[in-house]
Amino acid sequence: MNAQEPILKCPHRIFLYKFLFVAGLFVLSFSTGLPAQTYSQRGMVVSSSKPASEVGVEILRKGGNAIDASIATAFALAVTLPSAGNIGGGGFMVHCNHKGEATSFDFREKAPMRSNARMYLNEEGLLLEGSNHRGLLSIGVPGTVAGLYLAHQKLGKLPWPALVQPAIDLADKGFPMSWTLYMEARHLRSESGPGDFIHHFFEDSSGRLTQPGQLWKQPALANTLTMIRDQGPDGFYKGVVAKKIASFMADHGGLISLEDLGHYTAVERTPVHGTFRDFHIHSMGPPSSGGVALIQMLNMLESVVPDSIPFNSANYVHFMAEMMRRAFADRAKFMGDPDFAEGIPIERLTSKSYARQSLGSFRWDKASLSDSADYIHQPIEGDHTTHLSVVDVSGNAVSLTYTLEDWYGSKIGIEDLGFIFNNEMGDFNPVPGVTRRNGQIGTDPNLIAPGKRMLSSMTPTIVVKNDHPYLVIGSPGGRTIINTVFQAIVSALFFNIPLPQAIGAMKIHHQWLPDEIVFEQHLMSPDTQKALEQKGHRLRPVPNLGSLMGIVVDRQNQVLIGSADASAVDGAAVGY
Ligand code: DON
């Protein structure tokens, strides 16, 4: 197919039948309370904020490709979704062109040069509780601006300023404050003091909290974005913005210096690749653990699961949890920044033979035990991040997940600059060599070192079918991301469940330690819970897991189907 041709072309009458078919599905999903779905023929953007998805689609309309639209959407999210959308954090982008060829961009934050592996310990070598998650020392050198620029340099089509301008407009002219943002603003105000940046973040020009429906303007952020528009990454990592960041850090006891900012680089990396039956999976490799763990689990599934296993049955949940347990044990043992940790055995971990070996001890009737002499507990991770999926008119796709780590990151910012810094340093292992049940891991691959990237679970993924992008998917959720994306992919590829239902279906999470199955409480029957307990599993209910944003390219029906998880109240799939 010519790259310029629309992916979806069909005679009008056939299209009418197909439209009626998909419209029927839409009505069905709407009436069952599942996430809504959107159809389009030319391009689609799905994100956690409707105004940001609209920005991306506008870029597609203007002839931008999936990279362009994802960059514009990411900048717009930095304005409209400040809990996770960012220029003060970092993340990963996986790109797959219309021929099924993939690459990825790593713009994960880095540890400042003045950081060290013992920086969160007191004189007795004990972790100063929470010190790696809060305050100035929790901030990593931001990567988002450099990463988006690198992707644009390599694969973008429209001029860079055109991709930043819509975000500037949203910040400068304002956009209607949603109820979600308003509730978040009230909460943050009640939790902070008048001296805190976050306390004033949502104020209007008269110093009052912006009300729902009122236009929320962010003039300082508009100025920062203008410098990025005009100077590219130098507008952030050098010059006025960088100087303000460095002097703020120096004045308040932070570590990030002008050199840290000036030396930050994003990297293009080969994505991890696996297969599941006839599908090819492209996902993010280290410093994310997401792609490797995802492929490990898909390999295990392929090697053992009987075709007849009923979806969401006790046996199904048991098997899923046992695969998760094994993949997360390897994550803790092997994963870290590939530029520092030597020899992460990606090929071995993602091989079919390793999957068979991993399941050697698996039994259908009994849960395995995570506990062992050398058990390793996972670090605590925040649970706010955001994912966006894009497909353009030629069938190129982008899957992008980025984060501030916690909800509103460190909640620290500089008034003149108008954006929030991450608290990503908490994703490093905080105490070298000390691994505890209470949430500390001390293994080498993810210890702090100057210039190193902290381990992530973000799992932006693109599934290829018959040499074309087929499913573009990702989610927030800290460590649960890996399992959330895995289960959505299994639902779509193994059970042929339509995308909105796959997104809305019950998710579970097992992360090796603690040894328990976390499950969405309203979606697992008491009988299933009982059967799992009889196999020896401990269960813990939670209200929700993940917030998937996905697109299916349905070439047979010649339609793009996009869906945003219902948990993202302001989210939307927007097509054209
Ligand atoms: O990189 C990571 O894995 C975490 N810092 C992501 C945090 C996260 O997903 C929060 N999401 N809701």
Side-chain angles (χ1 to χ4, degrees), residues 14-31:
I14 299 178
F15 178 69
L16 179 66
Y17 295 140
K18 286 171 179 166
F19 177 78
L20 290 174
F21 169 74
V22 289
L25 281 180
F26 175 77
V27 170
L28 190 70
S29 73
F30 208 70
S31 61

Side-chain angles (χ1 to χ4, degrees), residues 92 108 331 381-386 403 405-406 424 427 455-458 475-479 481:
F92 304 107
R108 183 70 162 163
R331 174 191 188 273
E381 281 179 19
D383 64 353
H384 282 82
T385 297
T386 193
T403 187
E405 159 62 0
D406 260 333
E424 215 77 54
D427 278 359
L455 184 63
S456 173
S457 298
M458 291 187 276
S475 173
R479 270 162 292 155
I481 293 172

Side-chain angles (χ1 to χ4, degrees), residues 22 51 112 121 166 178 196 209 262 291 323 384 406 457 490 516 529 551:
V22 289
L121 310 186
S178 71
D196 296 330
L209 184 60
M323 290 187 284
H384 282 82
D406 260 333
S457 298
V490 173
E516 63 184 10
Q529 293 177 41
I551 302 175

Side-chain angles (χ1 to χ4, degrees), residues 165-293:
Q165 188 59 46
I168 298 174
D169 293 342
L170 283 164
D172 186 39
K173 297 180 186 137
F175 67 98
M177 183 87 160
S178 71
W179 271 98
T180 316
L181 276 176
Y182 176 69
M183 303 295 274
E184 293 178 356
R186 283 181 59 136
H187 178 80
L188 288 163
R189 243 169 124 86
S190 71
E191 297 265 294
S192 57
D196 296 330
F197 170 81
I198 203 73
H199 198 77
H200 306 283
F201 188 62
F202 293 94
E203 284 176 358
D204 63 18
S205 53
S206 63
R208 286 183 41 233
L209 184 60
T210 309
Q211 298 295 298
Q214 188 187 338
L215 289 183
W216 178 38
K217 299 182 183 179
Q218 301 172 73
L221 180 56
N223 277 340
T224 305
L225 289 167
T226 301
M227 285 186 255
I228 294 166
R229 177 197 66 191
D230 296 342
Q231 299 163 41
D234 285 357
F236 186 87
Y237 294 97
K238 294 183 178 157
V240 180
V241 172
K243 279 188 193 137
K244 281 191 176 159
I245 296 174
S247 65
F248 175 82
M249 294 284 165
D251 290 349
H252 296 87
L255 298 184
I256 297 177
S257 65
L258 267 184
E259 289 67 38
D260 283 316
L261 293 161
H263 290 145
Y264 182 87
T265 46
V267 194
E268 183 173 10
R269 297 190 192 274
T270 306
V272 283
H273 169 258
T275 58
F276 179 72
R277 298 186 167 168
D278 292 337
F279 299 96
H280 287 262
I281 319 294
H282 299 286
S283 191
M284 197 65 216
S288 178
S289 56
V292 171

